[in-house]
Amino acid sequence: MALLHSPFLSCSNHLLSPRLELPHNQNHSFRKSCLSQSQTTIKSKAVERLNTEYKPNVLDNLFLSSFRNKMAQEAGWDSDKPGYDGLIDVANRLMIGRSNSETTEAAVRILRSLFPPLLLELYKLLIAPIAGGKVAAIMVARVTALSCQWLMGPCTVNSVNLPDGSSLMTGVFVERCKYLEESKCVGICINTCKLPTQTFMKEGMGVPLLMEPNFSDYSCQFKFGVMPPLPEDDIILKEPCLEMCPNSIRRKQVTNNTKASKCPKA
């Protein structure tokens, strides 16, 4: 119903109607008014999109710096680029000279190094068993949504279906993952984020986690309290390269093959 009152439709109906005949000066003014309404609507949508983008604060910058330093130590190399761009460079370097499983293991070590070992052990021992793991899953979902937007972008806690048939607010929905969008690589997403995070949460904190990245719109659904499938059954691991992946573009140019193929890094 809202569409019936949009300025675009209103202007179009008046301009296209054969019964409406305005003097030249009035018709010019009317067309100018319609154009002005259209431009205002487009500008307001652009402003709205900018307002929804996550703006990092001082604490976020500290998180970014700490995470990047740990990743650089593991990779044995750091980028000359500042901030987030440098982080993506280091993530790419982490993949070089390692198998997929070695990259995943390295990323797990990075995640572990961000937490005091005693804290992880106490959480796994004291919190994870409460109420069949539901309390721990709820807590981790909230902390993730609050503390990881600097890495992923805007995200919200949502309800997910658990294995016992119940629904609980143990999910985190990432609207458009910045890490995936900036890396432009399915393999980096899977081997430095999805698989190591799932492993770290289960082994390090005692909380099962299934991550479901969407490579079409770059969103991602975290499901705390849900076990991930075996690698051979996980369809995410069989995803083709992203269209914007620079490595994929180069391979297509060299092989003259435009068909999408499974990401060689995944």
Side-chain angles (χ1 to χ4, degrees):
M1 293 299 292
L3 182 62
L4 297 176
H5 302 286
S6 72
F8 294 108
L9 189 55
S10 176
C11 291
S12 299
N13 286 340
H14 284 295
L15 290 173
L16 296 176
S17 173
R19 300 183 221 178
L20 182 62
E21 295 181 4
L22 295 175
H24 176 73
N25 60 338
Q26 292 184 23
N27 188 45
H28 176 74
S29 299
F30 186 76
R31 289 177 182 273
K32 186 175 181 180
S33 173
C34 287
L35 180 60
S36 176
Q37 287 179 349
S38 300
Q39 291 174 337
T40 301
T41 302
I42 293 171
K43 286 180 181 178
S44 65
K45 287 184 177 180
V47 171
E48 181 181 350
R49 191 181 303 114
L50 287 173
N51 289 337
T52 58
E53 291 182 358
Y54 184 75
K55 298 176 178 61
N57 55 41
V58 175
L59 191 60
D60 292 326
N61 291 331
L62 289 175
F63 286 148
L64 170 58
S65 178
S66 176
F67 185 65
R68 174 175 170 170
N69 288 339
K70 297 292 186 182
M71 185 178 285
Q73 290 174 18
E74 186 67 42
W77 176 87
D78 200 356
S79 171
D80 292 331
K81 296 180 183 177
Y84 205 95
D85 289 341
L87 173 67
I88 296 301
D89 273 0
V90 179
N92 273 285
R93 177 60 69 96
L94 193 66
M95 299 277 292
I96 297 175
R98 290 181 171 91
S99 66
N100 292 342
S101 60
E102 288 172 341
T103 301
T104 298
E105 291 168 2
V108 171
R109 288 194 295 270
I110 293 169
L111 292 173
R112 282 186 173 275
S113 70
L114 296 170
F115 297 85
L118 183 59
L119 176 63
L120 295 178
E121 291 299 325
L122 289 175
Y123 194 90
K124 186 176 181 180
L125 179 66
L126 301 177
I127 307 298
I130 299 175
K134 292 182 178 180
V135 171
I138 291 173
M139 291 174 62
V140 173
R142 279 157 176 72
V143 171
T144 299
L146 286 172
S147 63
C148 294
Q149 296 194 52
W150 64 269
L151 178 64
M152 305 181 297
C155 53
T156 54
V157 175
N158 64 355
S159 178
V160 299
N161 296 324
L162 299 180
D164 64 1
S166 63
S167 296
L168 210 58
M169 299 295 284
T170 61
V172 175
F173 181 70
V174 183
E175 297 173 15
R176 189 176 180 89
C177 181
K178 183 178 180 180
Y179 189 70
L180 172 59
E181 189 170 18
E182 293 295 328
S183 68
K184 304 178 179 65
C185 181
V186 170
I188 288 180
C189 168
I190 289 174
N191 296 311
T192 72
C193 186
K194 172 182 160 62
L195 293 181
T197 304
Q198 290 177 170
T199 300
F200 167 74
M201 290 305 306
K202 177 59 179 172
E203 296 181 358
M205 302 186 74
V207 180
L209 168 64
L210 170 61
M211 292 174 63
E212 298 177 329
N214 185 320
F215 296 114
S216 297
D217 61 9
Y218 308 131
S219 65
C220 186
Q221 177 66 59
F222 286 61
K223 295 181 177 180
F224 293 100
V226 178
M227 285 292 293
L230 295 172
E232 56 267 27
D233 298 327
D234 194 340
I235 59 173
I236 302 277
L237 305 187
K238 301 176 179 62
E239 285 285 335
C241 285
L242 298 177
E243 286 295 327
M244 62 180 179
C245 174
N247 294 322
S248 174
I249 294 172
R250 283 194 290 269
R251 281 196 306 275
K252 289 177 181 178
Q253 291 172 342
V254 171
T255 62
N256 199 27
N257 181 6
T258 59
K259 290 183 64 177
S261 59
K262 179 181 177 293
C263 177
K265 291 185 177 182

